[in-house]
Amino acid sequence: MISTLSPQVTIRLSAWVVLISAAALAGCSGSPPAEEQIRPVRTEQVLRTASERIRTFSGTARAGVESRLSFKVAGTVERVAAKVGDTVGPGQLLAELDPRDYQLQVEDAEASLAQARARARNAAANLDRVRGLYENNNTSQNNYDAARAEYEYSTAQVSSVEKKLELARSQLSYTRLTSPVNGAISAVELEVNENVSVGRTAFILTSGRRLE
């Protein structure tokens, strides 16, 4: 059995459907929004600390300045005044050679200088005497020139012997080996009664604060 609705009834039903839908939409728009869920996250605060990473390596440390000390003259070691590990300062005695041979050279040069100065004094006195005679026409030009030449030669001899004496005294002073700077003795390479040559390493001196 088929029933049919009149057009008026159909229009009314459509109107009710529209009203119900509008009411439903209005109800949805007025409801409060759902609260947003925040997901928990694990965090950690990073702080700057003063600690440093320490690494260990094998090796050898040495001073930034390493000096090999040696005598400027040859001789026999008479005394060793420093040993490994000693801290030394400028001018401090490290070792000493037998100075007797060099002392004799100084004494010989001193005697030669005394003789040269005596000859120079005699030549100066003779030149003054001959000059007086020459000015009074009592001696020849040759005699005057000879006296002046002798004086000049004797004066040059004095200067030469003085330099030899200075060298001999320097050689004597070189029999004492001293420290040039502040430092520490890291090696001793000579012994008492040992003959050493010029330039042979006697001590190794380390100095300076910077290490290698």
Side-chain angles (χ1 to χ4, degrees):
M1 181 175 176
I2 300 174
S3 62
T4 59
L5 297 176
S6 62
Q8 292 81 2
V9 175
T10 301
I11 292 172
R12 292 177 180 175
L13 290 174
S14 299
W16 280 106
V17 171
V18 171
L19 292 175
I20 293 172
S21 298
L25 290 174
C28 291
S29 62
S31 60
E35 184 177 356
E36 182 180 359
Q37 294 183 355
I38 300 176
R39 297 178 60 186
V41 178
R42 182 178 181 180
T43 62
E44 183 174 354
Q45 187 176 5
V46 179
L47 300 177
R48 184 175 182 179
T49 62
S51 62
E52 298 179 356
R53 179 179 296 180
I54 299 176
R55 298 182 180 182
T56 304
F57 301 93
S58 60
T60 302
R62 64 180 184 181
V65 179
E66 186 176 85
S67 304
R68 296 182 177 272
L69 307 181
S70 60
F71 284 98
K72 293 183 179 181
V73 294
T76 304
V77 179
E78 186 175 68
R79 179 187 177 192
V80 178
K83 61 183 183 296
V84 175
D86 285 352
T87 300
V88 296
Q92 183 172 340
L93 180 65
L94 303 180
E96 187 175 8
L97 301 179
D98 185 354
R100 286 175 291 183
D101 291 343
Y102 298 99
Q103 182 63 44
L104 290 175
Q105 294 178 10
V106 171
E107 294 174 359
D108 182 65
E110 289 175 344
S112 298
L113 180 59
Q115 294 176 1
R117 287 174 174 172
R119 286 194 298 266
R121 288 193 298 268
N122 291 334
N126 184 58
L127 177 60
D128 290 339
R129 182 180 62 83
V130 173
R131 181 186 294 113
L133 295 174
Y134 177 73
E135 290 175 352
N136 294 323
N137 296 321
N138 292 323
T139 188
S140 65
Q141 177 73 37
N142 291 337
N143 289 337
Y144 174 70
D145 292 340
R148 186 173 60 181
E150 177 63 23
Y151 170 74
E152 292 175 353
Y153 173 78
S154 61
T155 303
Q157 281 295 105
V158 170
S159 178
S160 177
V161 176
E162 285 177 345
K163 291 180 180 179
K164 290 181 180 179
L165 176 58
E166 182 181 356
L167 177 61
R169 287 173 175 171
S170 295
Q171 297 287 319
L172 178 61
S173 67
Y174 293 154
T175 60
R176 292 171 53 88
L177 182 60
T178 58
S179 174
V181 294
N182 291 317
I185 302 298
S186 62
V188 179
E189 301 184 2
L190 79 171
E191 296 179 357
V192 176
N193 296 326
E194 181 180 0
N195 291 323
V196 296
S197 57
V198 178
R200 173 191 162 183
T201 299
F203 295 87
I204 297 180
L205 177 68
T206 58
S207 59
R209 297 182 179 180
R210 186 174 182 180
L211 298 179
E212 295 181 356

